[in-house]
Amino acid sequence: MILAAAYDTLAQIGNPSPEAPPISDKFLQLVRYLTWFVLLSGICGIIYAGGRFAWEKWTGGGLESPKMVAGAMIGGVVATSAGTIMNAVIG
């Protein structure tokens, strides 16, 4: 009986639609700026690692830069797919 009364009470509560907070526009703009900065720094990292790779190849030194290139590329893939990953996690 108590369960039926609770069900009747909960059935009257509507399904609220999500609403963005008032400051969400500024927050989304900040996220877009940070995304742009992450992509720019990834491109700069790949360019730097490519130049270092050429220098190491030319001087005959140890090859450390291929790891840098691979790390920058993996970081770029994760950064650009972060939205898709979050949508998959949150559902």
Side-chain angles (χ1 to χ4, degrees):
M1 184 177 292
I2 296 174
L3 188 59
Y7 180 74
D8 289 339
T9 304
L10 291 176
Q12 294 174 4
I13 298 174
N15 189 8
S17 61
E19 184 178 331
I23 198 163
S24 64
D25 294 336
K26 298 290 184 182
F27 182 70
L28 289 175
Q29 184 178 13
L30 177 66
V31 169
R32 281 188 223 109
Y33 287 160
L34 290 174
T35 303
W36 180 84
F37 180 73
V38 166
L39 293 176
L40 179 66
S41 63
I43 290 170
C44 291
I46 290 173
I47 291 171
Y48 172 75
R52 187 168 170 185
F53 180 69
W55 179 258
E56 289 172 355
K57 198 76 165 156
W58 187 54
T59 60
L63 294 178
E64 295 291 323
S65 57
K67 291 183 242 178
M68 292 172 57
V69 172
M73 288 183 165
I74 291 171
V77 168
V78 170
T80 55
S81 63
T84 307
I85 292 170
M86 287 306 296
N87 284 335
V89 169
I90 292 174

